Amino acid sequence: MKQDSSQPNILLILTDQQRLSALGAYGETPCKTPHLDRLAARSARFETAYTTCPVCSPARGSVMTGQYPHAHGITSNVHDLGCTVHELTDRPELLSRRLLAAGYACGYTGKWHLGCGWDTTFGAKIDTGLPHDVGFVGHNFWGHGDGGHNYPEYQEYLRDHGWKHEVVNPIAQDPWSGRSGELTGPVESTVPYYLAEHTIGLMDQFARESKPFFLWHNFWGPHEPYYPTRDYMDMYRDVSIPEWPNYRWVPSDRYGPQSIKRHPMAEQLYWAYWENQIRHYYAFTTMIDDQIGRMLAHLDRSGLAENTIIIFSSDHGETLGSHGGLTDKGWHHFEEIQRIPLIVYVPEKYQKNGFNPRGVFQQWASLADFYPTILDYAGVGEASMGGVHGRSLRPVLEGTETTREELAAVEFFGVNALATSMITLRQGDLKYGWNCTSQDELYDLGKDPYEMNNLIDDFEYTEKKRQLQCQMVAWAESKKCDRRICEYLKGSFGSSVTVPC
């Protein structure tokens, strides 16, 4: 049956832990991403987009709710210390439920990490927390997945084709910087290929129905383990990777929160150590890019492309030795983990006002904006979006909102076995980082784009610092942060900070 084209299909592709240097469209890099680069060339590429939280589960919770983690409750990775809500609770306000109510079919592929479908306290199965529990069809993977290699469905896929998941040439296994190696099988045997095949199958399934579809495709990479096939590793084996501009940074506070993620041997390691890890990371990213290319090509071949809005992004970034040997994500306020890529393709039939949303867009965006943007294009009015923190990007993509407030906020409440409270607020070129346990941070990205000089005690920035503190309190109150956090912010900033600013 023919689809009613008044409602577009929407394909959301989300990678895991992809820093901007791993995408050619965002600047010169050794990393090869030709398919995403071509998509960006015919789409809106947002230059300044931020995650809501540089941790997997909280960021994904924001996609499903349009809220910051303090409101939706998934404040750390599910079932970690510091997480308030460990299983995404089914409710009418979830993105999938609102789309279903608007007449959409909802499909899911890959990493979930918004629940385990299991009560870890009582050791009992519960009917909540997984994709099928909130209205999706498709994959129903529980927990983090650690690359997706061990799920029975993938193992069955390997057996059906006579393949094995075999890793060779592992570099020194370092729990601080992640696992790296090479896969012996063909690209068809890899998890990214398997995931793309699943999404292509869902596209075909939905194309046979009369409903528009929302497909959320989630890769496990380029989050570690970095396991490309040999062919992809060969692309980078002899490639020289330049040092990060802030690689030789020395922190002003050696015991600040960033120290939790600084490699314990950072001062003894040479750049060659990180260079080898980055080669594997980039090879893995290129392998993923090719699978994105397969999905985009299938949209074109099947005729679905003319009816499908495509959104590409990542949940957060990655460090890989930046800022003096930092690893993974979380525990600091730096751009490399907070900034995310954001590319949005709108087919011609859904463009308005004679405006083609193509090129680099300077309007700022947030991961919290995905929820209202998707629902806006699906025909769900803003009147029914009470409690949503994000704003629809549709007016930007239709050319009616040419300017947008240059303000971004990021939260962090800890990860793994440690909890904390940290809030980042960027306004224009200035970024304020509040640390509940140590000295705050202030960076002027206009003069110091790699965030190497903490200006928190610089007399020349006294008034600007006060203004940012005031803005942070106002933001926390407007987003209904816990009253105790608002009061703690006011107490730590002192009596000079008053709201309204």
Side-chain angles (χ1 to χ4, degrees), residues 130-142:
L130 298 183
H132 290 182
D133 299 321
V134 296
F136 286 105
V137 299
H139 283 156
N140 201 42
F141 295 132
W142 55 271

Side-chain angles (χ1 to χ4, degrees), residues 116-403:
C116 296
W118 192 261
D119 188 320
T120 55
T121 301
F122 298 102
K125 177 75 174 66
I126 54 177
D127 294 325
T128 187
L130 298 183
H132 290 182
D133 299 321
V134 296
F136 286 105
V137 299
H139 283 156
N140 201 42
F141 295 132
W142 55 271
H144 176 278
D146 193 29
H149 311 118
N150 296 315
Y151 286 111
E153 294 88 342
Y154 173 65
Q155 291 294 321
E156 182 180 4
Y157 169 80
L158 292 179
R159 287 193 298 272
D160 288 346
H161 292 85
W163 295 320
K164 292 182 179 179
H165 176 77
E166 183 180 22
V167 181
V168 297
N169 299 330
I171 62 176
Q173 300 303 297
D174 186 341
W176 284 88
S177 56
R179 296 155 290 173
S180 300
E182 302 168 34
L183 297 175
T184 59
V187 67
E188 292 82 1
S189 69
T190 66
V191 169
Y193 190 99
Y194 162 73
L195 297 181
E197 197 75 359
H198 181 266
T199 289
I200 288 170
L202 286 176
M203 290 178 188
D204 290 342
Q205 174 184 328
F206 292 147
R208 293 190 291 267
E209 303 173 2
S210 60
K211 293 181 179 180
F213 64 74
F214 169 67
L215 257 171
W216 188 4
H217 178 102
N218 292 264
F219 288 103
W220 269 280
H223 187 296
E224 70 91 24
Y226 315 130
Y227 291 157
T229 63
R230 284 171 169 167
D231 289 346
Y232 287 95
M233 195 62 223
D234 285 344
M235 297 181 187
Y236 295 92
R237 208 175 299 278
D238 300 317
V239 172
S240 176
I241 309 292
E243 284 187 9
W244 306 128
N246 52 26
Y247 172 62
R248 298 182 184 274
W249 172 76
V250 178
S252 57
D253 180 3
R254 291 180 60 87
Y255 303 103
Q258 85 288 334
S259 64
I260 292 172
K261 282 295 183 178
R262 190 170 189 237
H263 197 292
M265 299 292 291
E267 295 178 2
Q268 287 76 45
L269 294 174
Y270 293 99
W271 173 247
Y273 170 86
W274 298 106
E275 193 175 25
N276 203 14
Q277 290 281 10
I278 296 165
R279 288 191 186 104
H280 286 78
Y281 178 78
Y282 282 171
F284 192 24
T285 302
T286 300
M287 188 169 77
I288 289 169
D289 180 77
D290 275 354
Q291 306 320 307
I292 293 173
R294 289 180 58 233
M295 292 188 287
L296 299 182
H298 189 78
L299 285 175
D300 289 334
R301 284 194 306 269
S302 63
L304 290 169
E306 65 181 22
N307 290 325
T308 304
I309 290 173
I310 303 166
I311 304 172
F312 169 80
S313 191
S314 190
D315 53 358
H316 52 77
E318 166 69 277
T319 48
L320 281 166
S322 60
H323 272 99
L326 295 180
T327 64
D328 201 28
K329 74 270 186 177
W331 299 102
H332 51 86
H333 303 276
F334 299 135
E335 295 280 276
E336 50 260 44
I337 64 167
Q338 294 184 340
R339 287 270 298 280
I340 56 174
L342 176 56
I343 298 168
V344 183
Y345 171 74
V346 181
E348 184 177 0
K349 69 168 57 177
Y350 301 107
Q351 297 171 11
K352 301 294 183 182
N353 309 310
F355 183 77
N356 183 359
R358 177 178 178 178
V360 179
F361 281 63
Q362 299 299 336
Q363 295 95 325
W364 289 22
S366 166
L367 194 72
D369 297 335
F370 292 13
Y371 176 100
T373 301
I374 291 167
L375 291 179
D376 197 352
Y377 274 108
V380 179
E382 289 191 21
S384 63
M385 295 189 198
V388 173
H389 296 151
R391 294 172 54 205
S392 174
L393 294 169
R394 187 173 181 178
V396 176
L397 296 165
E398 294 181 348
T400 60
E401 188 176 352
T402 56
T403 60

